[in-house]
Amino acid sequence: MKTLNISISDYEYDKLGLKGNMLSFSDFVDLLSRQISRQQLRASVQLAEKYGLSKMTMDDINKEVKTVRKNAKNSH
């Protein structure tokens, strides 16, 4: 087995919720994946708010989905 040393700031350590000095690689990947997912979700919410999509009702969303699906069928 190999050991990989990674240096991170105290802020990053706390932000990732790390609790010790030892962490398996798969656990590290899971932590990073969750952090990236959170960042992408925040970015998506910001874009939705910027373009007014966050105010869409479920009916609006369903209509949009139906329209996109219909157009996709017609283009093939």
Side-chain angles (χ1 to χ4, degrees), residues 17-76:
L18 298 173
K19 299 198 182 345
N21 292 330
M22 298 296 292
L23 186 66
S24 72
F25 184 73
S26 60
D27 287 342
F28 183 65
V29 169
D30 288 343
L31 280 171
L32 290 180
S33 295
R34 283 196 298 267
Q35 185 65 24
I36 291 167
S37 294
R38 282 188 211 108
Q39 290 172 349
Q40 291 173 333
L41 178 59
R42 276 188 227 111
S44 295
V45 168
Q46 288 174 342
L47 285 172
E49 289 171 352
K50 179 179 178 178
Y51 293 105
L53 302 174
S54 62
K55 296 175 183 162
M56 290 178 75
T57 66
M58 282 307 295
D59 286 338
D60 294 335
I61 294 168
N62 288 331
K63 287 177 189 175
E64 187 71 22
V65 169
K66 285 179 185 178
T67 301
V68 169
R69 288 179 178 164
K70 181 180 177 183
N71 290 339
K73 280 184 182 179
N74 291 337
S75 66
H76 286 115

